[in-house]
Amino acid sequence: MTKKKAIRVGHRGAARRLISKIEEELEKETTQRDEIESLCETLKKKRDILSELDNEILEEIAEENMEAEIEDSDRYVLDIERVLTKVRNSSSSKQKNKSNETSSNQNLNPNAADFVFINSTSTRNTPHPMQNNDMQYRSSMSATNSSIYHKLPKLNLPYFNGNLLNWQPFWDAYQSTIHDNQTLTDVQKFTYLQNQIQGIAAQCIAGLPLTSANYYQAVSILRERFGQNHKITNAYIQNLIDLPAPRSNADSLRNFSDRIECSIRGLESLGTNESTFGAILTPIIYNKLPSDVRKNIR
């Protein structure tokens, strides 16, 4: 592992020099785009090499050193992504300025070969090609920003303690933020997963060492135990059966109604048709209502 760390130090030094060179080129009044693109391609290769080395080193170090190692690796990832984003910003800004200059010249010169009436119906209804490019760029930038700042899940992800009713919201948030995040290694994903589960859920995967292979095994165990639709459906129905009877006042009845609606929406999100559980639950819920309310329903 000492040799791998030494190799990584060399690649990190090369990456820092590439970052400095790119930033110097961007500061020049007349930048050579070919030169910058070549430097960016080399920097991307260094990023991929560093990612592989980080993954290999993480699998070999002691578990108590994991967090410090991940934070150290993240600093280099963020520096690389920062300068690549800066290059994309610069390129988009120049393209946009060039398009604005062309559009302005055409408006001032009605004899231009490509003159277009700005107030015409066709122009108003048809998006300008640069507008499409700009929207695509902003969408791409948003995706990049959400992926490189992958420390955010520590603050935003919900916890899961084994309650079946909370599995789907937890998994949807975790999957979109961590599980499908291509910038994270499997060991990093496993670390996030262990941090976000508690109680019975944590006990299910407690015996699995923190390795890449075990990450997918842990996900499979959790899905098998908590993510099966028929188990979640039964939990929602049991939750409706166990609802405490409301009192005969507006606030209590409203709270009772809201909790019923919440469970029914959960069942519908699983694809369960109301006809499959309505006949069973209707008399159960009806009998929970206060006698004066039941009289008004009849």
Side-chain angles (χ1 to χ4, degrees):
M1 184 174 65
T2 302
K3 183 178 180 180
K4 289 180 181 179
K5 285 190 174 182
I7 294 172
R8 186 175 64 176
V9 168
H11 284 294
R12 283 179 172 179
R16 282 196 298 270
R17 289 190 291 274
L18 285 167
I19 290 172
S20 298
K21 180 64 175 175
I22 291 171
E23 290 180 331
E24 288 175 6
E25 290 293 328
L26 289 173
E27 291 296 326
K28 294 179 181 179
E29 292 185 2
T30 56
T31 59
Q32 298 293 328
R33 297 306 306 175
D34 291 342
E35 175 70 14
I36 291 180
E37 288 176 5
S38 177
L39 290 169
C40 286
E41 287 302 316
T42 305
L43 183 59
K44 290 176 183 178
K45 292 178 181 178
K46 289 295 180 187
R47 177 190 61 189
D48 295 340
I49 292 172
L50 287 171
S51 178
E52 291 180 6
L53 287 169
D54 289 339
N55 191 20
E56 292 173 3
I57 292 171
L58 278 171
E59 291 184 356
E60 296 177 10
I61 65 174
E63 188 171 338
E64 59 268 19
N65 298 327
M66 286 283 182
E67 184 174 356
E69 178 64 31
I70 290 173
E71 290 181 356
D72 183 46
S73 300
D74 284 350
R75 282 195 293 270
Y76 285 89
V77 173
L78 292 174
D79 283 342
I80 291 172
E81 294 296 340
R82 174 185 58 79
V83 76
L84 292 176
T85 299
K86 191 174 181 180
V87 171
R88 287 192 290 267
N89 270 331
S90 174
S91 176
S92 177
S93 177
K94 289 182 179 180
Q95 290 177 0
K96 191 173 183 180
N97 290 338
K98 185 177 179 180
S99 174
N100 289 339
E101 289 175 3
T102 302
S103 176
S104 176
N105 291 337
Q106 289 176 342
N107 290 337
L108 292 172
N109 181 14
N111 296 318
D114 296 325
F115 177 77
V116 177
F117 289 97
I118 299 302
N119 291 326
S120 67
T121 303
S122 60
T123 303
R124 188 184 306 118
N125 294 334
T126 305
H128 194 279
M130 283 304 298
Q131 290 177 332
N132 287 334
N133 292 340
D134 192 44
M135 287 187 291
Q136 292 172 357
Y137 170 77
R138 287 198 296 270
S139 176
S140 174
M141 285 298 300
S142 176
T144 300
N145 290 337
S146 66
S147 65
I148 62 176
Y149 294 105
H150 49 248
K151 291 183 181 180
L152 290 178
K154 294 180 179 179
L155 300 175
N156 296 336
L157 276 179
Y159 291 95
F160 179 68
N161 61 3
N163 185 341
L164 287 169
L165 301 184
N166 296 330
W167 166 258
Q168 203 59 49
F170 161 77
W171 179 250
D172 287 346
Y174 176 85
Q175 183 178 30
S176 62
T177 309
I178 302 296
H179 187 69
D180 293 339
N181 191 332
Q182 299 300 316
T183 66
L184 296 175
T185 65
D186 292 338
V187 172
Q188 289 172 321
K189 292 177 183 179
F190 201 174
T191 302
Y192 282 122
L193 181 63
Q194 289 180 330
N195 288 337
Q196 297 308 130
I197 59 175
Q198 303 169 336
I200 299 173
Q203 293 174 15
C204 289
I205 61 171
L208 295 176
L210 191 65
T211 65
S212 296
N214 284 336
Y215 169 67
Y216 291 98
Q217 185 178 352
V219 170
S220 178
I221 291 171
L222 291 173
R223 282 176 166 175
E224 178 71 21
R225 178 73 180 273
F226 305 105
Q228 296 191 55
N229 278 9
H230 72 276
K231 292 182 179 180
I232 301 175
T233 298
N234 291 339
Y236 273 118
I237 292 176
Q238 189 62 49
N239 185 61
L240 286 168
I241 294 173
D242 294 339
L243 275 179
R247 296 185 299 276
S248 187
N249 62 69
D251 289 340
S252 181
L253 289 169
R254 186 178 298 109
N255 179 62
F256 182 71
S257 175
D258 289 343
R259 295 177 68 178
I260 292 173
E261 285 292 330
C262 181
S263 293
I264 290 176
R265 284 194 296 269
L267 287 167
E268 291 175 344
S269 70
L270 296 170
T272 306
N273 194 293
E274 185 178 346
S275 61
T276 62
F277 59 83
I280 299 174
L281 292 177
T282 298
I284 295 175
I285 294 173
Y286 176 81
N287 289 329
K288 290 178 180 288
L289 296 173
S291 57
D292 57 329
V293 175
R294 291 202 302 270
K295 289 177 182 179
N296 292 329
I297 294 176
R298 291 175 181 174

